[in-house]
Amino acid sequence: MRSPDELTAGEWAVLALLDEEPTHGFAIARALAPEGEVGRIWSVRRPLVYRAVETLTGMGLVRPAATVPSRSGPQRTVLEATPAGKRALTRWLRQPVAHVRDARSLLMLKLLFLTRREADLEPLLAAQRERFAGLADGLAS
């Protein structure tokens, strides 16, 4: 089984949305669609959202919280982040990305979710500058 450090960007996005507010998979998929509020930064296809939910549930980072009726089909399961999921997400949001190639995707995703949390961006940005400065120093030598 994978550790939380090995989650994909899509799995982190699903976990971050569930940390913000318990909701069902369809609402997550809508937010992560290319035209969705998060999907404009990082989009995830609907089947991958449901796979991410399964993975996160299996890892104990997400759990079912309730079921609600649906107007367009079977009842929907409302999901929420577990305390372990909340801790893993907070750690991930604080870590700078490892590679410059990830600045346009993962770093932007982290900044988006930190902004949605109304968190201070400076600690992540300072750590990221330091990380990239170390990479630049290595390339220069």
Side-chain angles (χ1 to χ4, degrees), residues 16 19-20 86 89-90 93 112-119:
D19 179 58
E20 290 179 1
K86 291 174 179 288
L89 178 66
T90 297
L93 288 171
L112 171 72
F113 282 113
L114 286 168
T115 299
R116 289 166 63 103
R117 284 179 160 200
E118 297 183 0

Side-chain angles (χ1 to χ4, degrees), residues 39-140:
R40 289 177 283 192
I41 301 294
W42 189 268
S43 63
V44 180
R45 293 188 341 258
R46 181 171 293 146
L48 295 179
V49 167
Y50 290 106
R51 185 177 306 155
V53 166
E54 284 181 31
T55 298
L56 295 168
T57 301
M59 295 175 81
L61 303 176
V62 165
R63 66 179 168 219
T67 55
V68 294
S70 169
R71 287 181 267 149
S72 61
Q75 288 190 336
R76 293 187 172 153
T77 301
V78 174
L79 305 157
E80 66 183 1
T82 64
K86 291 174 179 288
R87 287 190 303 274
L89 178 66
T90 297
R91 276 192 310 274
W92 180 74
L93 288 171
R94 292 179 179 161
Q95 294 173 342
V97 298
H99 305 286
V100 174
R101 69 175 178 260
D102 295 330
R104 285 182 45 150
S105 57
L106 294 179
L107 181 59
M108 297 313 285
L109 189 60
K110 289 179 183 206
L111 292 171
L112 171 72
F113 282 113
L114 286 168
T115 299
R116 289 166 63 103
R117 284 179 160 200
E118 297 183 0
D120 183 7
L121 302 179
E122 187 52 37
L124 175 60
L125 293 173
Q128 195 64 68
R129 279 191 297 274
E130 186 176 316
R131 173 76 183 201
F132 285 166
L135 291 173
D137 291 345
L139 288 172

